[in-house]
Amino acid sequence: DVKVTQSSRYLVKRTGEKVFLECVQDMDHENMFWYRQDPGLGLRLIYFSYDVKMKEKGDIPEGYSVSREKKERFSLILESASTNQTSMYLCASSFGDSEQFFGPGTRLTVL
Amino acid sequence: GENVEQHPSTLSVQEGDSAVIKCTYSDSASNYFPWYKQELGKRPQLIIDIRSNVGEKKDQRIAVTLNKTAKHFSLHITETQPEDSAVYFCAATLSSNTGKLIFGQGTTLQVKP
């Protein structure tokens, strides 16, 4: 069975902290994605990766960075968390131009 | 930039009625159009998808139609049930062939018993 997991379901951090969100998939997918989901704005792409060590900016990359050292793992980093980064973060993976499989999401609150 | 517009943003129907959600896309090279359902507190899950060489696809009570000339595609749910209540997202691939999807803003469907 397909599986995408995320390191935390809920996270509370303080302004200025460095935050790591981790995503792991067990399907040997080459593509991995990080989205941010806010009410009324749908799913907005932050960064994606189509191969190990390869990354491309999505629509809203400001304030975020990513790391993909291994094929199964894709990390999202908030270098200095701010209150406007309070959101639901969803990771996904896919093979080619096909279905993206989503993780359960991490609800991040920045105080 | 490329985008996907989705309408309506909210939709309320009586149980047993049909529901239709419409999306338009801007990238004429888009070739894959999935629809996701997201129940409250859960992850988005694929319910149906269609590729650009097909005009219509059905799966039980769900169907998707694609008009490539007009660059729009629609989700049709017949005989709606309360468990169909959720947020539905349409999406389209970009021509870059990286698997990247552009999502619509979402439609909140409420099916009243």
Side-chain angles (χ1 to χ4, degrees), chain B residues 25-36:
Chain B
Y25 61 98
S26 57
D27 186 350
S28 56
S30 294
N31 59 9
Y32 176 65
F33 307 90
W35 284 89
Y36 286 84

Side-chain angles (χ1 to χ4, degrees), chain B:
Chain B
E2 306 300 347
N3 73 318
V4 173
E5 294 287 332
Q6 182 173 347
H7 298 281
S9 56
T10 59
L11 181 57
S12 182
V13 300
Q14 287 295 135
E15 182 176 1
D17 286 352
S18 294
V20 181
I21 302 170
K22 298 182 179 181
C23 291
T24 59
Y25 61 98
S26 57
D27 186 350
S28 56
S30 294
N31 59 9
Y32 176 65
F33 307 90
W35 284 89
Y36 286 84
K37 176 184 180 182
Q38 187 177 28
E39 296 176 359
L40 194 62
K42 296 192 175 179
R43 71 189 79 189
Q45 292 201 297
L46 183 79
I47 54 170
I48 197 167
D49 55 13
I50 192 168
R51 294 203 176 266
S52 58
N53 57 349
V54 175
E56 183 175 0
K57 185 176 178 181
K58 280 186 180 178
D59 183 3
Q60 298 180 359
R61 296 185 298 107
I62 296 171
V64 57
T65 58
L66 171 64
N67 182 329
K68 283 211 71 181
T69 303
K71 291 193 280 186
H72 67 71
F73 57 113
S74 301
L75 177 71
H76 304 254
I77 306 174
T78 58
E79 300 170 28
T80 54
Q81 299 165 5
E83 51 265 38
D84 294 329
S85 296
V87 179
Y88 292 81
F89 293 98
C90 64
T93 49
L94 291 182
S95 55
S96 57
N97 198 32
T98 57
K100 183 179 171 184
L101 291 173
I102 299 294
F103 283 85
Q105 297 87 343
T107 296
T108 302
L109 174 63
Q110 181 186 25
V111 180
K112 298 178 183 175

